[in-house]
Amino acid sequence: MPILGGGAKCGACEKTVYHAEEIQCNGRSFHKTCFYCMACRKGLDSTTVAAHESEIYCKTCYGKKYGPKGIGYGQGAGTLSTDTGEHLGIVPQDVKPQCPTANTGSSKFASKFGGSEKCPRCGKSVYAAEKVMGGGLPWHKTCFRCALCGKSLESTNVTDKDGEIYCKMCYAKNFGPKRMGYGATVNLESKQ
């Protein structure tokens, strides 16, 4: 309780909290600017806060630190994360060693910005801003063309064979079935 007219003390910074800037949680007062998760530092509000004793967390960090552990105890989108929770004091169990990638000579810059992947058409590095996936391989937007006719491709009209990409028309003509009605040309002789 404040003495001599001062406000309550902030639960995070221990400074005086005045009524206009006060947020209350678990009987404690906080400045609006001090009301953030103690683990990830994300700003909180009344719908995202989870309190544990004198600590406040976002619901995701609270679940990782104090929630149930093990298979089948997912926390929504948090289960898709590769975060092990080490910054919360959680010691990971069953950590498998990472296998080295095939491209061990790539620089830190290249691996961080996606430059380690090579375009199958030109052989140069493919960065995230210009990357298009086709046939399970990364391509430059400018290289993402049919190998036969050179037509620019999209995800809706691309087909692949033996590591090369084709438009649907070229693929059908060269690799599709060859009979009447399947794109085969028929010469009709005119009778005179």
Side-chain angles (χ1 to χ4, degrees):
M1 190 58 134
I3 301 174
L4 300 175
K9 298 291 180 187
C10 176
C13 70
E14 299 297 324
K15 293 182 181 176
T16 303
V17 181
Y18 295 100
H19 184 71
E21 58 184 359
E22 180 180 32
I23 295 178
Q24 289 192 346
C25 177
N26 260 11
R28 299 177 65 208
S29 297
F30 294 88
H31 293 106
K32 289 179 183 176
T33 56
C34 295
F35 198 61
Y36 50 82
C37 176
M38 298 183 103
C40 70
R41 302 301 211 204
K42 191 184 309 180
L44 300 173
D45 60 34
S46 62
T47 62
T48 60
V49 69
H52 183 80
E53 297 172 358
S54 64
E55 301 171 332
I56 56 172
Y57 297 96
C58 65
K59 290 185 177 183
T60 303
C61 292
Y62 180 85
K64 288 178 185 175
K65 188 164 185 175
Y66 299 108
K69 307 291 185 277
I71 297 172
Y73 290 103
Q75 297 290 321
T79 59
L80 301 175
S81 174
T82 58
D83 181 14
T84 60
E86 290 178 3
H87 67 285
L88 299 173
I90 300 170
V91 179
Q93 300 170 351
D94 302 328
V95 177
K96 297 177 184 174
Q98 281 187 315
C99 298
T101 59
N103 189 2
T104 57
S106 65
S107 68
K108 286 183 182 179
F109 179 83
S111 63
K112 184 174 184 178
F113 295 104
S116 59
E117 296 178 307
K118 302 289 183 191
C119 175
R121 178 82 31 94
C122 68
K124 295 180 180 176
S125 294
V126 180
Y127 297 98
E130 57 190 356
K131 181 176 171 180
V132 179
M133 293 298 289
L137 299 169
W139 301 80
H140 292 108
K141 288 179 184 175
T142 55
C143 296
F144 197 62
R145 297 180 169 279
C146 177
L148 297 174
C149 70
K151 179 181 173 184
S152 183
L153 299 173
E154 297 175 3
S155 62
T156 57
N157 66 352
V158 67
T159 53
D160 67 304
K161 181 170 176 72
D162 301 326
E164 195 54 76
I165 54 175
Y166 304 93
C167 67
K168 290 190 182 262
M169 289 298 295
C170 290
Y171 184 87
K173 286 179 188 174
N174 292 286
F175 307 111
K178 305 282 191 251
R179 310 191 290 211
M180 187 80 133
Y182 285 100
T185 57
V186 177
N187 291 332
L188 299 175
E189 296 178 19
S190 61
K191 295 183 180 180
Q192 292 182 349

